Amino acid sequence: MKELFRRTGSRFTSDQNRRDAQIPDDIWVKCPSCGEIIYQKQLNENLKVCPKCGFHMRLTGHEWLGLLDVGSFEEQDNHLWPEDPLRFVSAQGGYAEKLKEAQQRTGLIDAVISGLGTINGLPLSVAVCDFTFMGASMGSVYGEKVLRAAERAAELHVPLLTINRSGGARMQEGVISLMQMAKISMALTRLTAVRQPHISLLVDPCYGGVTASYASVADIIIAEPGANIGFAGKRVIEQTIRQKLPADFQTAEFVLNNGMVDMVVSRTELRPLLGRLLRLYQGTRKAV
């Protein structure tokens, strides 16, 4: 009898392993908000927005480029490589090693992808943050890419779209990372001078020096539903002021009600909205 049960158990395990091997791990996704089990293909077609509760899952930088017309994106400044000017070392290891690991894991050189593209045939300059690269922290290459995207928009007389998600300044570059805030903000004045808009999209999460500088210095500021937006984190603020903050504090809806952003727009409605905005500004573009 013992042998019979052993054989049955072994046979069941073998069959189970066979079935598991036939089902890819990424076919189904569980919504982190409502727990709904979603077919991966259906989720991708819905731009990674849960069809049941509307929760917006995070996109990579390259996935965000799907807002543009197919095949229209031309990457720029991909020759810029981050350096380790402070020879920064912490208990978790050196900065140079962290950069190398992030580059190998993500396939990116740094946290920003920048270039030119079109939406509904209308040209624009684009800078997109990718949170998978060191939390999209803002270092020298990040700042230089956004600056060049702004200057390129000014030179070509086209709008600038920044898609902003970040944990803040990159501490491993010290004061150099903090300089990027002023540097990008100054570049945006050139865009203003040629009467071209900066459209800033804030997605979850957007914190620190990015929120405190260029991401909030825009003609139109859009946020995704439920995105966390702020400077310092909620827990840090509560500990500092010794008061309990509202449950929805620093959400996109909260900052909209308090005048920090112009609109909160679902990802599924974002491309049509951007197309309309670009048409409104089309008359300010010079022939180049």
Side-chain angles (χ1 to χ4, degrees), residues 245-266:
L245 296 169
D248 64 344
F249 182 70
Q250 292 187 332
T251 63
E253 293 74 16
F254 180 91
V255 297
L256 174 66
N257 291 335
N258 287 274
M260 183 176 167
V261 302
D262 297 306
M263 60 188 87
V264 175
V265 180
S266 173

Side-chain angles (χ1 to χ4, degrees), residues 136-139 166-172 174 177-178 181 207-210:
S137 51
M138 181 167 58
S166 177
R170 189 173 297 174
M171 67 174 188
Q172 293 91 340
S177 66
L178 299 177
M181 296 189 290
Y207 279 96
V210 171

